[in-house]
Amino acid sequence: LDGRIEPALTRTLDTPADYPALLRALTAALKDVRKQRGVRCLGLGVTVPGLLNRDTRCVVFSPNMHFLDGHDLARDLAQKLDVEALTLQEDYALCIAERMFGGARLLHDFAVVEMHAGFGAGMFSNGQFISGTDGYGGELGHITVNPDGPQCGCGNHGCLELYATDAAFARAVAARRGRPAPMADLVAQARAGAFDPAPFLGPVLDYLAIGVAGLLNIFNPSAVFIYGDLFELGADVLPQLRARVEQRALRPSFKTCRIERSQVNKQLAAVSGIIQHLHNQLGPRLGRA
């Protein structure tokens, strides 16, 4: 409940090919964790990419993981594991984690940008999360920035997430090398001086700046926290992004906004979601006895 991730209790899985396989893999991993001495499971937090309906808790549309469409993952896991579970949209969960344990503590107006595989944004305005009518808000990555661009997982063409993510950077390197280029390998090579990311970095940062500047111009947050591996490539990556955002954002909005790396991750996001839920369910209530 303190948000600390225990490495000994962490399990990492390859993404299965379909929904039944995902349920089997997660169920097996969670059963294994619960067997460990001293482990008491109070609840299960699940974060998912894409559009999560606020009322039904079902994934309506996940552009990069279509096998989630139409499913309530938390409900299905709860039935198999007999534990209280909650599904959260991953950008909302990252916002909760940033507010509980990261740089957004005490902030009322801030945004979190997730730019790893997809591109999404979560936004708090005046202390309230902006979710939209059905909970589908924040899909900044599916704004068209190139009408003649390649097809996105959402079915449209030229979406921002095709250009402004870790995945976009890795694809550009892979296209040049003629073989896959996992982001973790590129980071390690860059740190060892065996790879110069500069020729591939500029275009990605240009598009990322377009997205971040759009957030500043529309929502006027006091801070934007960015979650992605791109900044592991070198200490100069974040300053380069800030300079590009300054060129595109309205000056008064940029002047009062700090742009930083996120201090949390998706594991902590899932944990933070269930912590908040359990606090609301089990915490003391004020009122007459």
Side-chain angles (χ1 to χ4, degrees), residues 5 8 30 43 55 59 61 67 72 77-78 93 107 136-137 157 159 181 199 201 234:
I5 302 297
L30 291 163
D55 297 322
V59 178
F61 183 69
F67 63 76
D72 183 339
L77 288 171
L107 296 184
Y136 305 154
H157 289 262
C159 290
L201 192 58

Side-chain angles (χ1 to χ4, degrees), residues 42-139:
L42 298 179
L44 174 64
V46 183
T47 68
V48 294
L51 305 184
L52 177 70
N53 186 277
R54 183 171 49 212
D55 297 322
T56 67
R57 310 311 300 169
C58 284
V59 178
V60 176
F61 183 69
S62 184
N64 298 313
M65 296 181 70
H66 281 295
F67 63 76
L68 290 175
D69 294 354
H71 293 289
D72 183 339
L73 185 54
R75 180 198 61 199
D76 295 339
L77 288 171
Q79 291 175 351
K80 290 180 175 293
L81 294 163
D82 190 28
V83 64
E84 186 164 4
L86 177 72
T87 308
L88 304 99
Q89 204 282 335
E90 65 179 6
D91 298 316
Y92 170 66
L94 283 167
C95 281
I96 295 298
E98 200 72 55
R99 207 174 194 204
M100 282 186 176
F101 303 110
R105 281 170 285 193
L106 304 179
L107 296 184
H108 298 290
D109 297 271
F110 70 94
V112 174
V113 171
E114 190 275 325
M115 41 91 46
H116 183 57
F119 191 104
M123 291 150 286
F124 266 78
S125 180
N126 197 28
Q128 298 293 318
F129 183 77
I130 299 175
S131 60
T133 300
D134 300 302
Y136 305 154
E139 290 295 329

